[in-house]
Amino acid sequence: MATTTTNQDSQVIMGRYRLGPLLGRGTFAKVFKAHKVHTGEAVAIKVFDKEAVQRSGTGEQVMATRSRIYFAMEYASGGELFTRLSRSTRFPEPVARRYFQQLITAVEFCHSRGVYHRDLKPENLLLDARGDLKVSDFGLSALDGGAGGSPRGDGLLHTTCGTPAYVAPEVLMKRGYDGAKADIWSCGVILFVLLAGYLPFNETNLVILYRKITESNYRCPPWFSVEARKLLARMLDPNPKTRITISKIMDRPWFQKGTCPLGDMPLIASAPSVLEAKQQHDEEEDGLAREKKRSKVIMSSPTIEVRPPSMNAFHIISRSSGLDLSKMFDAEHRLEARFSTRETTTAIVSKLEEIAEAGRVSFKLKEKGRVELEGSQDGTRKGALAIEAEIFQVAPSVHVVEMRKTGGESPVFRDFYKQELKPSLGDMVWAWQGGDSPPPALVPATGRRPITRRP
Amino acid sequence: MGCVSSKQFKGAAEHEDPAVLAKETTFSVSEVEALYELFRKISHSIFKDGLIHKEEFQLALFRNSNKKNLFADRIFDLFDLKRNGVIDFGEFVRSLNIFHPETPLADKISFAFRLYDLRGTGYIEREELYEMVLAILNESDLLLSDEAVEQIVDQTFRQADLNSDGKIDPDEWKAFASKNPALLKNMTLPYLKDITMAFPSFVLNSGVDDEEL
C-alpha cells in the first residue's frame, strides 16, 4: 500500500500527536504508537490511507479532529435494509434474492481483495437512494489480524446488542477461522431472515443458542422454496471446511435466477410492497391503513411486533432544552431522560431487555415502540418502580428513546437511572438530550458543573 | 407582602402588586408570591437589579449563562412583553401563566405559534421550520444529512400546511396542534399547579446557581 508516511519517528500529526513506531498494518490502515505532544500520554493511532480506501471501492474518507473521527462515505439514503424488512415483515423470494445477490456480489468483491467483514448483520446492510444494497463497515475490522497476530473471533462478539445470532459456529468457539467462510455463514443467516422475517437461531438462553448454532439446528418455514432450502443448508454448514464457497453460491441456478441489471425495474415488477415503502417512505403518515401493517422486530422468541411512531418536526423541536422551563424550578426532580441512537429498534429493545434482566425488573414490550420496565413485587426498593421507554423514529436509522418514571419513588428511579440504566446503555447512545446530560465533549470545562444533590 | 417591595433593591424595577397579577392570571395571590421567590432568585443571579436578563435566563435554564439557544431566545423574547430586553416580574408571571396546567389549550396553541413564527410574519414558514429543526439537531448533537432534515420538514409540512401554500397559518397550526397534543406538552408546567409546594425544593437546591458566578 502506498502510504505517504515518511519520517515517521518525528512526524507530528495535527500538531497534537507525535507518531512512533508502526504497530500493525491492515488493508486500509496502519496503527502507530504515538504520544500526545503536550502530555506525553501514549496512544495508538489508526491511520487510514485515503488512496487505499478509495481504491478499494468503498468510497470512504476519513478525517479526524481531536475529539472525533469522521468517516465520510456514500450516503445510503435508503436507510437500513432491516428497516425495510421491518415494514413488510418478510420479503417475497424474488426480492430477497435480489438483495441476496447484491450482498453476495459485495462480499465477493471484498473477499477478492482480502477483506473480510466479520460482522455481517442486517444493521450493516444499507440501501442507497435507488434501493440497491450497500454493505457498511467493511474493512473496519481489517486490522484485527495485522495488529494482533492470529485472527481471533472474540472481537465479533462485541456487537452492540451482543447477539451472536449471525456469527458462525467456528467463530463462536473462538477457533482460528477463515474470514471468508465465516462471512458466508452470516450471509446464510441474513438470507434466512430476508425470507422468513425472523432469525434461524434465536434463543434467549445463550447456552441453547450456542448449541443450536454449532449444530446448525434450524427449521425452514413452509414457504421456503426447495432451492432456497438447499442453498441455506450449504451455507449454514457448521463445518467451515465443507461449507459452500462464494463462487459456488454464484454458480447456483437459484442465485442466477432473475438476475437483472440493478435498478428499480425488478423491484417494481416483483415487490410492490417494497417499492411502496421506498417511494412513499415520507408519506407514511398519510396512510393510516398502512399503519396496521406492523412490522416485526426480531429478538427473543416469539417474534414481537414494534413499530416506532415517527416524529414530526414540531415534536422534535418541542423537546428542545430551551423550551423546557421546568428546569427553572428544579432540575433534580426531573423524572425523564432522553437519548438518540443510531441503533435499530431491535437493538434498542434487546438492550432494554438486557438491562431489565440485569436489574431484575420485568420487561414488557408494548405496541408502537413502547417498552415497560417494572420492578417485581418482592419487597425490594425497586418493587413499585415502573419506567416507560418510548422509541421514536426521527430519520431513517435514527431513533430517539424517551424514558420516564411512571410509578414508584423518585429517588429509586434516579438511582436506577444513574447506576443501572445510564451506564448500561453505554455505546448505544449517540447523544443524551434535554440538556441535563450533554455529551462531555460539548461542555466547556468551565461550564461543567456537577448537579448538586444536597445543599 | 414585604417580599415584593421594590424598595428592597437599589435601582430595582417596580414590581406589580401580586393581587393585580393574581386577578389577571390563574395564580392565587400566594402563588404569585411564591413565584416572586423564583423570580428574585433568577433576577439576582448575575445583575442583581430585579430584572431577568438574557444571561440570567440562560443560567436558570442551562446552568450556564453563556449558552445560546434559539428556543430559549424565543421564549425570552415572548416573555419580554414590553420588548425592552429584560423580563420584569409582571411579564414573568403573565407569561408563566400560559404554562399553567389550567390555562385553556387555545392560549397555549397561540403562544406556541408565536414561538415558532421566528420572524413574526404571522406564518410559520418552511425556512423557519428548517432553521428550528437544524437548531434542535445541533443542540442535541445529532448530525443528520441535509436530505434527512429536508425530509423531516417536508413530511411535517405535508401534514400541517393544509392549503399547501408553503407556510403554516394560525388556523392550520390550531388544527395541527389539536391533532398532535404531544406537541404542546412543554407548554404545561405541572409545577405551577402547586408552586407553593414546589418552591421550597427550589430554595433547598438553589445553591447550584452561585457556583457559576
Side-chain angles (χ1 to χ4, degrees):
Chain A
M1 116 169 37
T3 50
T4 51
T5 43
T6 52
N7 233 352
Q8 279 165 10
D9 288 340
S10 59
Q11 193 180 347
V12 174
I13 18 179
M14 307 194 82
R16 294 179 198 283
Y17 294 98
R18 188 174 302 282
L19 276 194
L22 180 70
L23 294 175
R25 181 194 299 268
T27 314
F28 307 137
K30 292 177 175 180
V31 173
F32 293 96
K33 192 173 179 188
H35 293 275
K36 280 190 185 166
V37 172
H38 296 297
T39 62
E41 186 190 333
V43 294
I45 290 192
K46 195 166 180 173
V47 182
F48 287 80
D49 183 84
K50 278 191 197 173
E51 262 183 54
V53 170
Q54 279 162 353
R55 265 202 318 272
S56 76
T58 59
E60 292 169 359
Q61 290 217 22
V62 186
M63 291 154 285
T65 63
R66 188 166 54 99
S67 60
R68 302 238 161 103
I69 295 169
Y70 300 91
F71 261 82
M73 57 193 91
E74 184 184 356
Y75 174 55
S77 60
E80 287 176 19
L81 174 60
F82 191 81
T83 316
R84 192 96 349 135
L85 183 62
S86 307
R87 282 204 192 90
S88 43
T89 307
R90 66 171 199 250
F91 291 125
E93 195 165 297
V95 180
R97 178 166 50 232
R98 178 168 176 273
Y99 287 131
F100 182 70
Q101 287 162 346
Q102 295 182 335
L103 170 67
I104 292 296
T105 309
V107 170
E108 193 267 342
F109 176 85
C110 294
H111 284 187
S112 70
R113 279 151 186 78
V115 180
Y116 307 104
H117 195 291
R118 302 164 198 218
D119 196 15
L120 281 169
K121 54 188 176 187
E123 291 90 323
N124 286 331
L125 305 181
L126 306 177
L127 298 177
D128 68 11
R130 294 185 307 163
D132 286 337
L133 185 129
K134 304 280 168 183
V135 182
S136 74
D137 289 355
F138 233 120
L140 288 188
S141 54
L143 272 168
D144 291 356
S150 64
R152 290 207 29 185
D154 26 5
L156 267 177
L157 294 175
H158 299 163
T159 54
T160 39
C161 53
T163 169
Y166 293 87
V167 177
E170 69 272 20
V171 180
L172 281 185
M173 294 191 289
K174 300 196 170 119
R175 292 195 191 129
Y177 65 91
D178 176 346
K181 288 294 180 72
D183 278 353
I184 288 171
W185 173 280
S186 304
C187 289
V189 178
I190 289 166
L191 175 59
F192 186 101
V193 173
L194 291 175
L195 288 168
Y198 58 85
L199 287 162
F201 311 105
N202 195 5
E203 296 292 332
T204 36
N205 182 327
L206 273 187
V207 178
I208 301 177
L209 178 62
Y210 276 44
R211 198 173 62 220
K212 291 215 163 163
I213 290 176
T214 49
E215 291 169 357
S216 188
N217 180 356
Y218 67 97
R219 193 175 297 169
C220 293
W223 59 84
F224 278 23
S225 70
V226 178
E227 298 99 304
R229 285 164 197 260
K230 281 185 182 161
L231 176 58
L232 278 169
R234 295 290 296 114
M235 295 181 78
L236 298 177
D237 179 347
N239 181 352
K241 293 208 172 70
T242 51
R243 194 177 301 150
I244 191 169
T245 61
I246 290 263
S247 59
K248 287 271 159 49
I249 294 174
M250 297 176 105
D251 284 346
R252 293 225 154 200
W254 185 86
F255 185 88
Q256 291 169 354
K257 221 190 268 181
T259 311
C260 38
L262 305 180
D264 278 340
M265 288 310 288
L267 216 52
I268 293 169
S270 58
S273 66
V274 173
L275 181 76
E276 173 186 270
K278 184 159 85 80
Q279 293 194 329
Q280 303 187 350
H281 172 66
D282 36 24
E283 288 171 16
E284 62 187 48
E285 296 281 327
D286 296 353
L288 279 177
R290 231 170 283 131
E291 285 281 315
K292 295 212 177 87
K293 212 194 309 173
R294 292 258 180 64
S295 58
K296 266 190 183 164
V297 155
I298 300 140
M299 36 172 285
S300 57
S301 55
T303 45
I304 291 165
E305 302 192 340
V306 167
R307 188 181 190 311
S310 64
M311 282 175 151
N312 70 47
F314 289 106
H315 279 127
I316 305 174
I317 291 168
S318 72
R319 282 154 167 88
S320 167
S321 60
L323 296 177
D324 182 4
L325 296 185
S326 69
K327 277 181 292 180
M328 285 198 305
F329 297 86
D330 192 343
E332 264 295 88
H333 280 210
R334 300 170 61 71
L335 296 170
E336 52 179 46
R338 189 162 60 236
F339 67 89
S340 59
T341 175
R342 310 183 81 157
E343 299 295 339
T344 60
T345 46
T346 326
I348 300 165
V349 168
S350 56
K351 178 59 112 186
L352 291 172
E353 188 178 23
E354 199 181 285
I355 292 169
E357 237 165 64
R360 281 180 297 168
V361 292
S362 81
F363 171 92
K364 250 182 273 171
L365 188 70
K366 303 285 187 166
E367 57 175 17
K368 288 217 159 195
R370 281 194 323 125
V371 168
E372 283 179 5
L373 305 181
E374 266 175 40
S376 46
Q377 302 291 339
D378 59 357
T380 63
R381 279 187 86 216
K382 273 186 229 154
L385 182 64
I387 298 168
E388 183 186 73
E390 221 171 332
I391 306 167
F392 300 94
Q393 188 177 37
V394 179
S397 72
V398 178
H399 292 94
V400 165
V401 183
E402 286 189 353
M403 300 174 292
R404 65 194 145 262
K405 179 182 85 91
T406 49
E409 290 169 37
S410 303
V412 181
F413 170 78
R414 279 193 293 273
D415 285 352
F416 180 72
Y417 170 65
K418 274 186 197 145
Q419 286 156 25
E420 300 182 41
L421 207 48
K422 207 169 170 184
S424 310
L425 287 165
D427 290 348
M428 162 163 284
V429 175
W430 191 9
W432 285 95
Q433 292 171 34
D436 62 336
S437 321
L442 286 185
V443 186
T446 49
R448 198 177 300 170
R449 185 196 51 72
I451 294 167
T452 312
R453 304 190 63 185
R454 296 275 177 273
Chain B
M1 234 138 291
C3 67
V4 282
S5 162
S6 61
K7 291 171 197 100
Q8 246 174 303
F9 316 107
K10 215 181 166 187
E14 289 285 326
H15 294 308
E16 286 180 58
D17 185 347
V20 174
L21 288 169
K23 216 168 170 186
E24 275 183 46
T25 62
T26 319
F27 299 113
S28 69
V29 173
S30 61
E31 284 171 337
V32 172
E33 286 175 355
L35 278 179
Y36 182 74
E37 289 301 309
L38 175 60
F39 178 81
R40 196 171 63 94
K41 184 81 209 158
I42 298 172
S43 65
H44 284 74
S45 60
I46 300 175
F47 296 108
K48 314 200 191 303
D49 60 356
L51 295 164
I52 298 179
H53 295 249
K54 180 70 79 63
E55 292 83 351
E56 291 170 327
F57 189 65
Q58 288 164 351
L59 182 61
L61 281 189
F62 307 120
R63 308 294 188 260
N64 178 347
S65 61
N66 295 317
K67 182 159 172 173
K68 295 263 177 286
N69 178 293
L70 172 67
F71 302 102
D73 283 356
R74 289 300 297 154
I75 292 272
F76 187 89
D77 290 349
L78 290 184
F79 272 43
D80 178 16
L81 300 165
K82 300 193 192 92
R83 314 211 43 78
N84 59 350
V86 286
I87 300 170
D88 66 30
F89 183 55
E91 291 170 330
F92 186 70
V93 175
R94 288 188 182 88
S95 301
L96 274 184
N97 187 47
I98 301 282
F99 294 81
H100 195 284
E102 277 157 31
T103 297
L105 193 64
D107 294 356
K108 294 174 192 282
I109 289 177
S110 128
F111 185 88
F113 184 84
R114 286 186 292 138
L115 182 70
Y116 297 143
D117 176 13
L118 297 181
R119 290 178 252 294
T121 55
Y123 300 97
I124 301 172
E125 272 111 6
R126 208 184 168 287
E127 301 74 56
E128 290 172 331
L129 184 58
Y130 191 87
E131 183 181 340
M132 291 187 283
V133 172
L134 280 188
I136 175 71
L137 293 176
N138 196 29
E139 168 194 329
S140 314
D141 204 26
L142 273 173
L143 306 168
L144 293 190
S145 66
D146 291 350
E147 291 100 298
V149 177
E150 288 278 354
Q151 197 181 320
I152 292 168
V153 172
D154 285 348
Q155 184 182 333
T156 305
F157 256 76
R158 224 167 291 145
Q159 295 166 44
D161 181 17
L162 300 176
N163 62 7
S164 308
D165 62 352
K167 49 194 187 185
I168 299 168
D169 63 39
D171 287 339
E172 288 170 338
W173 173 252
K174 203 176 158 190
F176 184 67
S178 309
K179 238 181 7 194
N180 297 282
L183 290 184
L184 298 171
K185 223 177 88 186
N186 58 356
M187 291 287 134
T188 295
L189 294 168
Y191 298 87
L192 292 176
K193 203 161 180 182
D194 41 21
I195 177 81
T196 46
M197 303 272 288
F199 197 62
S201 69
F202 176 82
V203 174
L204 281 180
N205 289 313
S206 60
V208 248
D209 295 350
D210 302 334
E211 212 175 308
E212 275 282 321
L213 308 178

